[in-house]
Amino acid sequence: MVRTPRCEGTFVMDADEHPPLHCDDSRMKYDHSKKLSGASTDIEQLYQAVPQLANVFRIKGKIGEGTFSSVYLAIAQLRGGHEEKVALKHLIPTSHPVRIAAELQCLITAGGQDNVMGVRYCFRKNDHVVIVMPYLEHESFLDILNSLSFEEVRDYMFNLFKALKRIHYFGIVHRDVKPSNFLYNRQMKRYALVDFGLAQGTPDTKIELLKVIQSEAQQEGLESLHVQRSVFGERNFNVRSSASQDNSTVKLIKQPRVTDIAARKLLAKKKTTSAVTNGLVKKAASSCPTNVTCDCYAKDRVCSVCLSRRQQVAPRAGTPGFRAPEVLTKFPNQTTAIDMWSAGIIFLSLLSGRYPFYKASDDLTALAQIMTIRGSRETIQAAKTFGKSILCSKDIPAQDLRTLCERLRGSKTSFDVLTGDGQINLSQEPALQAEIFNISEPALQTSKKHLQYQKPSCHERDGLVIRTSEKPANLGWDKVPDEAYDLLDKLLDLNPATRITAKDALLHPFFKNI
Ligand code: ADP
Ligand code: MG
Ligand code: ZN
């Protein structure tokens, strides 16, 4: 039944192999009516765009939507009336063909074992591509974060490293490791790393198409083939997500959808030029009035001009809060170590009970937030090793990871404080300013921007308290071994050259009796 997926044909399965579809809604455990609003027209459009889907699948509802894809839950009708839940990932028709093929090749080559999502079939009609994967029902990370036992967290991290070890073996750098791309079925203890939409190859990658992407990107001297997607344009319709999660989703400005690769290249070029000519990086999405100059540079407060700036969407792959320091400082030779950093950020959330841990909308803010945990001197020192110089207006000491996590987790109640417009309040901590530049470059060509230092946790402030959770009884959190924090420290190693690998993480004493 399972065939090698291919992308070039219209049909991968023959229609006559399958009995006609029949509607049996009683099999559906979940009420998708809420999620279906607005999605039903999308479903109709998908059936129209790729008509052969209707021969095989009954699409039940949308379960995920990002800038570059929509994911649906569907029931596949198999021989003998057998049914199987599948996830249909419909890529936006303007995706670059090499990008699509590379994503598929990652799933085919590395997927299907060791907690890496596999692929069943692929359908294509014209420029519409639908990737069919086994469906893994999964939790919303935020919903379960504060009820997880320490043992569950240990298992979660072990299984994440298993997946990362596998893809890194194939020379795949995922580049977008975060909870929504690592599906977790708590009851069944099943895990799956998904979403190779931003993956890149190491120089010796076994994924041929990632080599193509690599060389094309190098030729361009731009990140033209890296899918640029809105970090916050993502919506998640997790089956198990609660209403509170929808409320807590921060409303952010969507980056205008860039509809084709040529336009993307143009956009990237324009941005580069403006950065050079102005000496300041001005993001296209910023609504900061250009004629007003701000007066808060090097002061420990943020002026009204800067406060009125719209949140910026980083023009590069990944999610700022999960990006490694070498990604944030645009170090060109990025390795699989960047995924290990992201895994460290997930671990930090799990140990501290806070998610998202870093909520940054741009790279410099993200870097400043890293400094608040790992120390400014340490960050500056590490960046030097890969040829980047960071100027920072304040000296911030590194924090002890155990003390930090216990303090955050230990508070009786955790608050997510929202202001009226759904934005999480920034704390009124002193502003921190930083500059990054290549050591070889004169400082004048650097990007300069004001940074607001946001404490990782939200404090009790005016506003709406949308979630409170009692401290879990005894889930093993009273005796977290030192090994946990030692592993966390090795994952959040600011220097990618010495950061722990997935293979070594699995052998870390933290996992000794797994
Ligand atoms: P995108 O590139 O748009 O982020 P993803 O591949 O990450 O697309 O999928 C988006 C969301 O869809 C995931 O966060 C997850 O909730 C859901 N999803 C994706 N693949 C599956 C799957 N195989 N089973 C269940 N849900 C899935
Ligand atoms: Mg994703
Ligand atoms: Zn200012």
Side-chain angles (χ1 to χ4, degrees), residues 336-354:
T336 52
I338 71 170
D339 292 340
M340 298 308 289
W341 176 276
S342 306
I345 298 293
I346 298 178
F347 197 23
L348 187 57
S349 268
L350 290 166
L351 291 175
S352 66
R354 304 298 173 114

Side-chain angles (χ1 to χ4, degrees), residues 36 38-51 53-54 59-62 72 90:
L36 276 171
S40 52
T41 49
D42 291 358
I43 293 172
E44 281 155 26
Q45 279 167 12
L46 180 55
Y47 278 131
Q48 271 164 27
V50 193
L53 289 176
I59 303 172
K60 304 303 291 189
K62 196 182 267 189
Y72 301 87
H90 179 213

Side-chain angles (χ1 to χ4, degrees), residues 124-143:
R124 179 177 76 82
K125 191 188 175 201
N126 302 329
D127 49 0
H128 290 272
V129 175
V130 175
I131 297 174
V132 185
M133 298 167 276
Y135 175 73
L136 180 60
E137 191 186 331
H138 53 283
E139 323 289 336
S140 146
F141 190 75
L142 190 62
D143 283 358

Side-chain angles (χ1 to χ4, degrees), residues 1-19 21 50-59 74-79 82-88 119-124 130-134:
M1 192 59 219
V2 178
R3 299 210 187 148
T4 314
R6 54 196 162 91
C7 226
E8 69 277 10
T10 45
F11 270 89
V12 177
M13 288 193 289
D14 300 319
D16 60 3
E17 278 185 15
H18 308 280
L21 292 180
V50 193
Q52 63 269 40
L53 289 176
N55 297 324
V56 191
F57 304 106
R58 177 169 180 77
I59 303 172
I75 307 291
Q77 306 289 150
L78 306 175
R79 255 192 284 250
H82 193 73
E83 292 185 338
E84 187 194 348
K85 281 184 187 173
V86 293
L88 303 181
V119 58
R120 282 273 198 277
Y121 321 98
C122 183
F123 289 82
R124 179 177 76 82
V130 175
I131 297 174
V132 185
M133 298 167 276

Side-chain angles (χ1 to χ4, degrees), residues 457-488:
S457 60
C458 298
H459 300 281
E460 302 161 54
R461 289 178 52 84
D462 299 335
L464 177 67
V465 177
I466 59 125
R467 181 175 61 99
T468 60
S469 54
E470 289 302 312
K471 188 181 173 181
N474 182 13
L475 298 167
W477 290 106
D478 49 341
K479 42 180 193 296
V480 177
D482 287 339
E483 285 82 6
Y485 296 104
D486 182 73
L487 176 58
L488 179 61

Side-chain angles (χ1 to χ4, degrees), residues 62-73 85-91 103 107 117-118 132-139 174 176 178-183 192 194-198 229 234-239:
K62 196 182 267 189
I63 49 175
E65 187 185 74
T67 311
F68 290 92
S69 83
S70 294
V71 180
Y72 301 87
L73 167 63
K85 281 184 187 173
V86 293
L88 303 181
K89 181 168 180 173
H90 179 213
L91 304 167
E103 178 168 358
L107 289 165
M117 180 53 72
V132 185
M133 298 167 276
Y135 175 73
L136 180 60
E137 191 186 331
H138 53 283
E139 323 289 336
H174 187 283
D176 202 14
K178 57 179 176 179
S180 65
N181 288 334
F182 187 57
L183 313 184
V194 299
D195 197 357
F196 292 89
L198 297 178
R229 53 177 169 187
E234 228 170 62
R235 276 197 282 155
N236 197 321
F237 301 94
N238 273 336
V239 171

